[in-house]
Amino acid sequence: MEYSTFGRHVAVDTWGVDFDVLNNAELLQNHLVEAAEACGATVLSVQSKQFEPQGATVLVMLSESHLSIHTYPERGFAAIDCYTCGETVDPQLAIDYLVSILKPEKTYAKKLIRGLGEMKVETPSGVQVELV
């Protein structure tokens, strides 16, 4: 069986996020798993690291690729990244879910279309996700 190499990679920088949210690896881990499930991805494993004196990194390995966050609570900053292979899982849904949870003052995002030759860079449209 031959598989498509098509993938979408959404990266977003968020600014103005609450210190306590960004400094809680366990809370972030829960939110990233929820975000992966919200976009229909399959979670294979999760790793997280709480840094001292502050900061956190969470990596979610997906069957479709990955979802990650790296935080700098003292700056109110988080870098979020979601890459998914194939047509069925939309990484923008995971990103939108996380942005709705983090409630940043500012966001800057780009979307890469990968696996079709030269990478194409787009500005994501951002679909709003309803929290259930």
Side-chain angles (χ1 to χ4, degrees):
M1 176 180 236
E2 192 169 318
Y3 293 96
S4 170
T5 56
F6 171 79
R8 292 169 285 190
H9 194 156
V10 180
V12 62
D13 286 355
T14 63
W15 294 92
V17 181
D18 181 79
F19 180 95
D20 292 328
V21 172
L22 295 181
N23 199 41
N24 187 332
E26 184 177 346
L27 175 68
L28 292 169
Q29 180 175 315
N30 291 337
H31 289 318
L32 264 71
V33 169
E34 290 168 357
E37 292 169 351
C39 76
T42 304
V43 175
L44 298 177
S45 67
V46 181
Q47 288 191 335
S48 63
K49 171 68 177 171
Q50 180 70 52
F51 293 100
E52 292 299 330
Q54 69 264 332
T57 292
V58 179
L59 304 172
V60 179
M61 184 169 40
L62 306 173
S63 178
E64 300 79 9
S65 198
H66 72 270
L67 173 61
S68 66
I69 189 169
H70 307 280
T71 74
Y72 298 81
E74 71 280 12
R75 304 287 304 276
F77 174 75
I80 307 168
D81 182 272
C82 188
Y83 176 48
T84 62
C85 300
E87 300 276 352
T88 59
V89 176
D90 185 353
Q92 187 65 52
L93 297 175
I95 296 295
D96 291 343
Y97 183 92
L98 290 171
V99 168
S100 75
I101 295 292
L102 297 177
K103 297 178 179 42
E105 293 172 9
K106 294 181 184 175
T107 61
Y108 303 95
K110 291 295 178 196
K111 178 179 179 180
L112 291 173
I113 304 301
R114 304 180 71 178
L116 299 177
E118 188 171 336
M119 286 187 274
K120 181 179 174 186
V121 180
E122 299 178 348
T123 300
S125 59
V127 177
Q128 294 300 315
V129 175
E130 287 186 39
L131 299 179
V132 179

